[in-house]
Amino acid sequence: MPELPAQGQLEPAASIPARGQGDPQCVPVCCFSARHCRQLPQEDPSLKQHLPPQKPTQPSLPACSELSPPPVPCCGFAGDAQAHALLTCLQFPALLLPCLLPWCGGRKGGCAHHQGGSQGRSAQPSSSRHGLSQLRNVAYSDAIKQHQKRLSAWFSHQPNEERQFGPSFSLDAVHVDPVIRQSSMEEILKPSPDLTIQNQLQQPCSRVITLQNLFDVDACGRQVKNVVLYGTVGTGKSTLIKKMVVDWCHGRLPRFELVIPFSCEDLSHSHAPISLRRLISKKYQHLRDVVPMLGASNLKVLFILNGLERLNLDFRLAGTELCCDPNEPVPSSAIVVNLLRKYLLPEASIIVTTRPSAVRRIPAKYVGCYAEICGFSDTNLQKLYFQMRLSQPGCSGEGSVSSSSGEQENLVEMLSRNLERHNQIAAACFLPSYCWLVCTTLHFLYFTRMVPPSQTLTGIYTSFLRLNFSGEVLDSTDPTNISMMKYVAKMVGKLAYQGVMSRKTCFSEDDLQQCFEVEMKTESELNLLEVFRSDVFRFFLTPCMQPGKEHTFVFTIPAMQEYLAALYVVLGEKKTLTQRVGKELSEVIGKVSEDVAVVLSIISKVLPMRFLPVLFNLLKIFPRYFSRLSGKDRDAIAHTMAEELFKEEDYYNDDVLDQINSSILGVEGPMRHPDEAPDDEVFELFPIFMGGILSRRNRAILEQLGCSIKNLAAFEIAKAMKKTVIRKSRKGLPPSELMDYLFFLHEFQNERFTAEAIRSLRAVNLSSVRMTPLKCSVLAAVMGTTCHEVEELNLTSCNLDTSSLRILFPVLLRCKALHLQLNSLGSDACREIRDLLLHEKCVVSNLRLANNPVGEQGAQLLAEALAGNRSLTHLSLLHTALGDRGAEVIAQHLAENQHLQELNLGYNSLTDTAALRVVEVAKKHATLDKVHLYFNDISEDGKRALHSLRMDRDGVRALVFLTAGTDVSDYWSNILNVVQKNLPFWDHERVRQHLALFLQDLESSRRQTASPWRKAKFLRVESEVKKMLGKLQQGTL
């Protein structure tokens, strides 16, 4: 092969990818521009071996046979060599282009003759480059468009945690850019302030910069090429990079023609040497035609290196050699180093994201701009984020867009007011990650209507940690390679657990140092602690915003303290020194026991040493004995869970779901005075999180985070819980505590355990618990694990509505006594109740609907239910606004019912006609023997007519007044008890009038009787009525 021109004298054309190979290679055929070509020998064996075989039937350039070739051929070929080269160019059009372009010129359809002279020769290279550039642009444009399409689909992909916001959510629709502040190496290297004066909320400053301006010229007028974007965990680095890539894909980042993102975590797992071009082609195969031009054209390229802390970079020449060839295979870390050195592709721009502890791995001379992500340091950004997230059309779930739009606006308004109070939540939402957690929790609390719920609260917190810590190692340079979440569970979990046990939420600097530094003994441990403080500390702990506690720290979200405390206990980190040493010793003995057994068996055959079998048995006994001790540890975990779940001092607090709601949205009303004694801290989520962490799904996610919980451990803890949790639940719990217990069973996600626990509950009393759709779903899911009949379900004053009844429908079918008083259930809800009573599997025998606005329409639906029901024996419609027409409708259908025994129509504004009509029908009923008609508008004539009824003669008792002729009614105490219970919900003036009528009737009947015994009974009842009237007038009822 003759000598080719030296490097720098040639202008190489576009390299052609070799067939069957992934890495582009240059075809060794002379294909340079005309001014650098030399004439080759006619018979060059080295050239022939690279030329394709010549087909004998193929004509030799017939299209050019009539042309007048220039005196100097464009490539200088002669004879057969020239023909072979041209045939090669025909098979490779990219090779033919540089040869034909000097021949083709201004005449349409022909070839231009060579004109000679300097002018003609100088025009040929520019014409060649112009034509080649046009064809290149077409190929590049198609490849880059395909690249943009794929990147957009890739980076717009929603993780499972995001899909709960509905199909309308996307990164373009919901994104708020965090505050980015220009920084410098001096600010990064300066000593960190003491923990007590750390200022989490960054104050507004003049050095705020936008993402689009990061690559502007610096203060010296030089173009910035390398940018380091750093921030602590949770500030939104990855999301910001995703948004940047999506913006470029949609043409909103015109500064760069090509963007190539890389994950440093992926690069850290690549150990084999690889070239830059091969690396790009391997990850983005659609760029294989563009990759050869990197460095050979003016293509404006941006490399994105996300998560630089995962790479161990060495910028010393002795550690990483120089490399300027994109085709040279080197380690992936060497590629990154030489890109940042600007020795490899010096014209490329680079943006690096990293945590603060890894910023110093890049020498400052290689960085043009430092920028710190400060999160949502402005509360207006937080409000904007919440408004965009919570106002999404798909946020409220399917089929509830119109009905929930007002609720969405109300949530945004309450959340905004709570942020304006400079509450602790404003400090938490400084991190965009916690804004996501707040929105997800509110979505869970307000828009969950599925049975069973698709999520658990523990699952939300576990997924939240996975989004922020998945695959994260605390320090990649540390040989232990401990996962970040494992370190947090061990260190921060210990602090959280100590706070829960001591009922403390605020921690001083001494508390932090005692928890974090007391066990630091090696240099490696101190280095890990320094990295934790730099990168992770602010994610979990933030300065307290309460007056007088500025120098203390609290957990960013109160529930996070209980979650980490639960994780600390369940992982078994709560061990004494003896237990830790015993565990390590047991593992060592267990590993060597098999080898020792072989050695002892051989020695015992040679030497008659009787003590060797005894020694061997002792070695086997110790691991077994320690396993029993570890089993006792799991009993202790179950005992701790039961003790915390059923603490009597927490019996009358709000249920945990209402507590979470209040912690996010705040409590409406005057703020607490600084001198006022605070309420006792409540940690009722702690045992619930312990149960939730043991669920299979959460254990699988925690396994990905480096926090392993074995199946055997979870099984043994659940087995131990049956002895403690179920036994204590049988003692009877207040309504709010019972709701917490049901929520615990839902979070535990163990169907067999839940079924056994529910069978032990014969009566479920949830009165006065605000039954949101989520709580109804939890109740339906937990009760749905069994098919047993429930003796009583009390849902009095639970804010139920039609959707709640629809969710609870399968549970209501199995309840014998069903209490639905004081729930504002109207005619729409009566439609659900009608379907319930007409269901073939309905076992409801006692239904109480008192103090609900049933009305005439509801009465019509209930009357239809009465006609077809076969289980109902007691029905209370006390104070349900029936009126005469509603009562008459019920009377019309009453004859078709053959099982009703008692009907309460009191306080429904019935007149004589309607009351007598009901009683007349009741007289003919086979089983109905008692009708309540007190507190109705019945005249004296109607009263006398009703008094004339006798059970032995007419077969029905009409309870109208406290008297029965000249005697006191046997049901006077029942009537007064009903009045006493319902006074807070009734019109006091109307009750006073009716009580006055009762008193007049008692006095009149007492005067008519001569029996001293009866007079005494009248006086006793009169005194009870007078007491009630006196309290009513004083307003003490």
Side-chain angles (χ1 to χ4, degrees):
M1 187 90 174
E3 181 183 358
L4 296 177
Q7 185 178 3
Q9 298 178 348
L10 303 177
E11 293 183 358
S15 57
I16 307 301
R19 296 182 180 178
Q21 299 182 12
D23 198 12
Q25 301 291 337
C26 294
V27 178
V29 176
C30 181
C31 186
F32 308 111
S33 57
R35 59 193 179 99
H36 294 302
C37 292
R38 293 186 179 182
Q39 186 173 357
L40 298 179
Q42 294 184 4
E43 299 294 336
D44 189 350
S46 64
L47 177 62
K48 285 186 177 182
Q49 66 180 351
H50 295 291
L51 293 177
Q54 186 175 4
K55 297 180 181 180
T57 58
Q58 185 175 359
S60 174
L61 296 177
C64 297
S65 59
E66 299 178 0
L67 300 178
S68 299
V72 181
C74 71
C75 285
F77 291 130
D80 293 338
Q82 181 178 0
H84 290 172
L86 290 176
L87 286 172
T88 301
C89 293
L90 288 175
Q91 295 190 9
F92 296 94
L95 294 177
L96 182 62
L97 263 168
C99 299
L100 294 184
L101 283 173
W103 290 22
C104 303
R107 291 190 302 175
K108 183 177 180 180
C111 295
H113 291 277
H114 178 69
Q115 300 296 326
S118 61
Q119 183 177 356
R121 288 192 299 270
S122 63
Q124 288 176 9
S126 62
S127 175
S128 173
R129 287 194 295 269
H130 178 70
L132 184 60
S133 175
Q134 289 181 341
L135 289 181
R136 274 185 196 153
N137 289 339
V138 174
Y140 293 167
S141 178
D142 292 341
I144 291 176
K145 285 180 180 179
Q146 186 180 9
H147 183 56
Q148 289 175 331
K149 183 179 179 180
R150 294 192 179 186
L151 279 185
S152 178
W154 185 10
F155 282 87
S156 299
H157 178 70
Q158 301 178 26
N160 292 332
E161 291 80 5
E162 291 284 12
R163 293 175 186 173
Q164 61 188 309
F165 289 101
S168 61
F169 169 76
S170 66
L171 195 61
D172 282 339
V174 180
H175 179 76
V176 179
D177 287 329
V179 174
I180 304 176
R181 181 180 64 88
Q182 277 188 313
S183 181
S184 63
M185 181 57 75
E186 289 74 16
E187 294 183 15
I188 299 172
L189 294 178
K190 70 179 180 181
S192 301
D194 295 335
L195 293 176
T196 54
I197 58 173
Q198 262 190 346
N199 186 10
Q200 300 285 355
L201 298 175
Q202 300 287 340
Q203 298 297 327
C205 61
S206 58
R207 293 187 295 168
V208 173
I209 188 173
T210 62
L211 194 65
Q212 289 76 12
N213 297 331
L214 289 176
F215 291 94
D216 291 346
V217 295
D218 57 13
C220 300
R222 294 172 298 186
Q223 186 72 38
V224 172
K225 289 295 183 180
N226 292 350
V227 174
V228 173
L229 189 65
Y230 69 94
T232 59
V233 176
T235 50
K237 300 184 295 295
S238 298
T239 305
L240 191 65
I241 290 301
K242 282 185 178 181
K243 184 62 168 58
M244 182 180 185
V245 174
V246 172
D247 283 347
W248 175 76
C249 294
H250 295 165
R252 293 191 289 268
L253 200 64
R255 181 191 293 266
F256 302 105
E257 299 173 359
L258 178 62
V259 170
I260 304 177
F262 280 110
S263 168
C264 292
E265 180 181 1
D266 294 341
L267 296 178
S268 66
H269 297 309
S270 177
H271 303 293
I274 189 172
S275 68
L276 175 61
R277 289 180 176 175
R278 173 62 178 159
L279 182 66
I280 298 173
S281 300
K282 183 178 178 181
K283 186 173 181 64
Y284 306 105
Q285 293 184 3
H286 45 275
L287 292 180
R288 60 183 179 272
D289 294 333
V290 180
V291 166
M293 295 311 301
L294 293 178
S297 64
N298 293 325
L299 193 66
K300 298 178 181 178
V301 183
L302 171 65
F303 286 96
I304 298 177
L305 304 175
N306 189 32
L308 191 73
E309 66 275 356
R310 298 303 303 269
L311 285 176
N312 295 327
L313 303 182
D314 189 353
F315 279 81
R316 298 173 304 167
L317 290 178
T320 304
E321 63 180 3
L322 297 176
C323 174
C324 63
D325 185 3
N327 295 316
E328 180 181 353
V330 293
S332 55
S333 59
I335 293 177
V336 174
V337 169
N338 283 287
L339 282 173
L340 292 171
R341 284 171 173 167
K342 291 305 169 191
Y343 202 74
L344 182 64
L345 301 186
E347 295 302 320
S349 300
I350 303 173
I351 184 169
V352 174
T353 68
T354 184
R355 301 199 302 259
S357 63
V359 171
R360 287 171 287 183
R361 296 183 187 178
I362 306 177
K365 63 182 179 179
Y366 298 127
V367 179
C369 174
Y370 290 98
E372 179 185 8
I373 302 181
C374 301
F376 295 156
S377 57
D378 187 355
T379 55
N380 291 324
L381 294 178
Q382 300 174 10
K383 292 179 183 179
L384 178 61
Y385 181 93
F386 291 134
Q387 184 175 4
M388 295 177 68
R389 272 276 167 125
L390 295 175
S391 299
Q392 284 293 300
C395 180
S396 58
E398 296 180 0
S400 57
V401 176
S402 59
S403 61
S404 300
S405 58
E407 190 172 17
Q408 290 173 274
E409 295 176 1
N410 189 34
L411 283 178
V412 175
E413 179 63 26
M414 287 191 294
L415 194 54
S416 298
R417 287 203 299 267
N418 202 20
L419 291 171
E420 290 171 358
R421 296 173 185 167
H422 302 287
N423 206 321
Q424 197 66 47
I425 191 174
C429 293
F430 156 76
L431 295 174
S433 294
Y434 277 96
C435 292
W436 180 91
L437 180 60
V438 167
C439 288
T440 307
T441 305
L442 287 176
H443 184 271
F444 174 68
L445 292 176
Y446 282 89
F447 304 119
T448 299
R449 291 174 173 83
M450 295 177 60
V451 179
S454 58
Q455 302 179 54
T456 63
L457 185 65
T458 313
I460 289 176
Y461 276 74
T462 307
S463 299
F464 168 69
L465 293 175
R466 181 176 70 173
L467 284 174
N468 290 278
F469 295 96
S470 179
E472 291 287 344
V473 175
L474 184 62
D475 186 4
S476 61
T477 62
D478 188 79
T480 61
N481 210 31
I482 185 173
S483 75
M484 186 178 291
M485 194 62 229
K486 180 69 174 178
Y487 188 88
V488 168
K490 181 180 178 181
M491 304 296 293
V492 188
K494 179 182 178 181
L495 179 69
Y497 175 74
Q498 291 176 352
V500 169
M501 291 295 102
S502 59
R503 298 272 169 164
K504 182 168 64 173
T505 58
C506 295
F507 303 92
S508 64
E509 182 181 358
D510 293 338
D511 295 330
L512 299 179
Q513 291 179 352
Q514 183 178 4
C515 183
F516 295 157
E517 300 178 4
V518 67
E519 297 181 0
M520 298 291 109
K521 298 179 181 179
T522 65
E523 182 72 17
S524 175
E525 290 176 339
L526 290 174
N527 291 338
L528 289 176
L529 179 60
E530 186 64 27
V531 173
F532 165 76
R533 283 183 167 177
S534 173
D535 299 348
V536 193
F537 179 85
R538 292 196 298 177
F539 187 84
F540 292 102
L541 292 162
T542 185
C544 184
M545 304 290 287
Q546 296 181 15
K549 297 183 178 181
E550 292 83 0
H551 299 288
T552 61
F553 289 86
V554 297
F555 278 83
T556 313
I557 292 287
M560 185 58 73
Q561 177 180 354
E562 299 177 75
Y563 181 93
L564 292 178
L567 184 61
Y568 177 77
V569 174
V570 174
L571 285 176
E573 295 293 338
K574 188 177 73 69
K575 291 185 177 71
T576 62
L577 179 61
T578 303
Q579 290 172 331
R580 293 178 182 176
V581 173
K583 180 180 179 181
E584 295 175 0
L585 185 60
S586 174
E587 291 177 352
V588 172
I589 293 177
K591 291 178 181 178
V592 303
S593 60
E594 295 181 0
D595 298 333
V596 172
V598 175
V599 174
L600 291 178
S601 63
I602 296 173
I603 295 177
S604 63
K605 292 179 180 179
V606 178
L607 299 175
M609 297 181 181
R610 297 181 179 179
F611 70 91
L612 290 178
V614 177
L615 179 61
F616 176 62
N617 290 331
L618 288 175
L619 289 174
K620 293 192 295 183
I621 286 174
F622 185 81
R624 295 176 185 174
Y625 177 74
F626 184 80
S627 65
R628 294 180 181 178
L629 291 179
S630 62
K632 291 184 178 181
D633 291 341
R634 288 155 189 167
D635 290 343
I637 292 175
H639 180 74
T640 301
M641 198 180 305
E643 290 295 326
E644 293 295 324
L645 189 61
F646 300 112
K647 274 194 172 182
E648 293 187 3
E649 56 263 36
D650 297 336
Y651 267 12
Y652 298 99
N653 298 325
D654 292 337
D655 61 82
V656 292
L657 294 176
D658 283 349
Q659 293 176 26
I660 295 173
N661 182 71
S662 300
S663 68
I664 294 176
L665 300 180
V667 179
E668 297 294 333
M671 298 184 66
R672 184 189 301 274
H673 192 274
D675 298 333
E676 185 179 351
D679 296 332
D680 293 336
E681 300 295 345
V682 179
F683 297 96
E684 294 182 90
L685 268 174
F686 169 57
I688 294 175
F689 277 142
M690 289 179 67
I693 288 172
L694 288 172
S695 68
R696 184 182 301 273
R697 180 178 180 274
N698 286 311
R699 283 190 287 117
I701 297 176
L702 289 170
E703 181 76 26
Q704 301 173 15
L705 297 176
C707 301
S708 177
I709 303 172
K710 302 300 182 182
N711 290 332
L712 181 60
F715 173 77
E716 292 180 349
I717 293 173
K719 185 178 179 180
M721 285 168 55
K722 292 182 179 180
K723 306 174 185 177
T724 55
V725 174
I726 296 179
R727 185 181 69 248
K728 290 194 174 187
S729 67
R730 294 171 180 167
K731 297 180 179 180
L733 301 172
S736 61
E737 197 71 13
L738 179 58
M739 187 68 240
D740 290 345
Y741 179 55
L742 296 175
F743 188 61
F744 164 80
L745 295 176
H746 164 68
E747 293 286 314
F748 192 33
Q749 295 286 290
N750 188 323
E751 189 170 343
R752 293 178 60 186
F753 181 90
T754 301
E756 187 172 345
I758 290 299
R759 289 192 194 99
S760 65
L761 298 177
R762 310 307 299 177
V764 179
N765 180 12
L766 296 174
S767 59
S768 301
V769 174
R770 189 174 63 93
M771 294 298 292
T772 61
L774 171 61
K775 296 177 188 177
C776 291
S777 300
V778 169
L779 176 60
V782 171
M783 298 294 291
T785 57
T786 67
C787 299
H788 78 288
E789 294 182 359
V790 181
E791 294 294 332
E792 181 181 359
L793 177 59
N794 191 345
L795 296 176
T796 301
S797 187
C798 289
N799 296 96
L800 299 179
D801 55 13
T802 305
S803 62
S804 302
L805 295 180
R806 194 174 295 119
I807 294 172
L808 293 172
F809 192 90
V811 179
L812 303 181
L813 284 174
R814 297 157 38 204
C815 299
K816 294 182 178 180
L818 185 56
H819 302 265
L820 300 177
Q821 306 98 298
L822 294 164
N823 280 297
S824 301
L825 300 177
S827 57
D828 292 338
C830 289
R831 194 178 306 277
E832 298 294 328
I833 297 174
R834 178 198 63 181
D835 297 340
L836 172 71
L837 295 176
L838 293 177
H839 198 280
E840 59 181 4
K841 295 183 179 180
C842 178
V843 298
V844 177
S845 60
N846 188 346
L847 177 60
R848 297 185 180 182
L849 291 171
N851 300 303
N852 284 298
V854 174
E856 297 177 7
Q857 296 181 0
Q860 176 68 40
L861 296 169
L862 294 177
E864 296 174 7
L866 277 176
N869 180 264
R870 298 294 180 268
S871 63
L872 196 62
T873 58
H874 296 74
L875 176 62
S876 175
L877 296 175
L878 175 70
H879 192 219
T880 51
L882 298 180
D884 286 349
R885 296 183 60 181
E888 290 176 359
V889 169
I890 290 177
Q892 291 173 7
H893 291 75
L894 198 56
E896 302 177 38
N897 182 282
Q898 301 299 322
H899 303 277
L900 194 64
Q901 299 175 10
E902 184 176 354
L903 177 63
N904 192 336
L905 300 178
Y907 203 160
N908 275 296
S909 303
L910 304 186
T911 59
D912 296 352
T913 304
L916 291 172
R917 169 65 175 155
V918 171
V919 173
E920 287 295 329
V921 175
K923 287 169 58 177
K924 303 175 184 178
H925 198 279
T927 58
L928 185 59
D929 63 357
K930 193 182 299 182
V931 178
H932 299 251
L933 294 171
Y934 42 82
F935 273 39
N936 280 304
D937 301 333
I938 301 175
S939 65
E940 288 296 326
D941 295 338
K943 172 189 171 183
R944 285 191 293 270
L946 293 173
H947 273 319
S948 65
L949 297 174
R950 293 292 183 268
M951 179 64 187
D952 54 355
R953 186 185 66 202
D954 301 305
V956 65
R957 293 188 182 95
L959 308 183
V960 184
F961 285 90
L962 301 180
T963 60
T966 59
D967 197 359
V968 176
S969 172
D970 293 337
Y971 303 98
W972 71 268
S973 60
N974 293 342
I975 296 174
L976 289 183
N977 285 336
V978 170
V979 175
Q980 181 79 26
K981 292 178 181 178
N982 291 278
L983 268 179
F985 320 108
W986 288 357
D987 182 6
H988 285 192
E989 180 61 26
R990 185 168 181 178
V991 172
R992 189 190 64 78
Q993 294 175 3
H994 280 281
L995 288 177
L997 291 175
F998 279 176
L999 189 59
Q1000 293 177 10
D1001 184 63
L1002 289 169
E1003 293 173 349
S1004 175
S1005 298
R1006 176 169 53 83
R1007 287 192 295 265
Q1008 295 177 12
T1009 184
S1011 171
W1013 175 248
R1014 290 184 178 180
K1015 286 183 180 290
K1017 289 173 64 177
F1018 276 114
L1019 289 174
R1020 179 189 173 189
V1021 177
E1022 288 176 24
S1023 65
E1024 293 293 332
V1025 175
K1026 287 179 181 178
K1027 286 180 183 179
M1028 194 175 294
L1029 275 171
K1031 292 181 179 179
L1032 189 61
Q1033 292 174 355
Q1034 295 174 5
T1036 56
L1037 282 176

